[in-house]
Amino acid sequence: MATAGKVIKCKAAVAWEAGKPLSMEEVEVAPPQAMEVRDKILYTALCHTDVYFWEANGQTPVFPRILGHEAGGIVESVGEGVTELVPGDHVLPVFTGECKECAHCMSEESNLCDLLRINVDRGVMIDDGQSRFTIDGKPIFHFLGTSTFSEYTVIHVGCVTKIDPEAPLDKVCLLSCGISTGLGATLNVTKPKKGMTVAIFGLGAVGLAAMEGARMSGASRIIGVDLNPAKHEQAKKFGCTDFVNPKDHTKPVQEVIVEMTDGGVNRAVECTGNADAMISAFECVHDGWGVAHKEAVFKTHPMNFL
């Protein structure tokens, strides 16, 4: 394209400070460097993760920053060494990338690439430790290596997936995060067998996608858990057979589910990121074998579950 190798000026929604409204700015987007691509973003969705790091409550405040990670676009130009993509390809950015060479990428058991695994604190590109975004020469930081709240963005090639150009980008952009996250969690990680019972905690886009995975797997009973009763009707379309609102019960929701299912569900998928919900999901699964001291408490950081 005519813009290849040149700085592109475009509009982007910039987060200058934690919790402050995003500001539409003209940014300069540098050409892609080695193993990078520059994409024209046509559609971007808003994921709650963007909001979470915009608020920066309990997180490292990396500002000014261009958020966004769930999107669809077209390759504008490619950097040195990129052979699998060419300008004009339709693509989805993916925040959990693959270098295709490390032990994780070579294994079927993990997708936590040594090079491109999630790093929410890194606001620069891996190749040279620099940002590809500037405003009047001042660097603007990246987010999750994607930064899709910009008309153009630069992404490592390992975090870009080529898709069929016939696929409508305004819809499949959701596959860039929420849908594949939930569906994949059920189909590829929990792997429920036909006839099993499954509990889904949190019925947003990720939770509904996880529920769809349970339905596709042939689960006989799918229990949706959410604090918003309005979510029930929508969840029915994705296979929800039972709905539990923790606020409707005086006892912990895991105890409610254990009683409902005569000992617990076969699988539980937690889709909120809330540590208390993680504990509830873990404790509503049918018990197995093993004994610990009755006062013992198992503690670990939630990120370790990833």
Side-chain angles (χ1 to χ4, degrees), residues 3 13 16 19 22 51 71 84 89 94 97 100 105 114 134 161 182 190 206 214 241-242 259 264 276-277 281 302 304:
T3 49
W16 290 100
L22 304 186
V51 178
E84 57 265 54
D89 282 343
V94 182
K100 301 181 181 178
C105 287
D114 287 337
T134 55
T161 298
T190 63
V206 176
T241 60
D242 301 82
E259 291 178 1
D276 290 334
N304 290 332

Side-chain angles (χ1 to χ4, degrees), residues 28-31 33 36 125 128 130-134 142 154:
E28 301 101 24
V29 185
Q33 301 302 306
E36 297 172 0
M125 299 301 292
D128 58 2
Q130 301 294 315
S131 174
R132 302 290 176 259
F133 299 111
T134 55
H142 295 249
V154 177

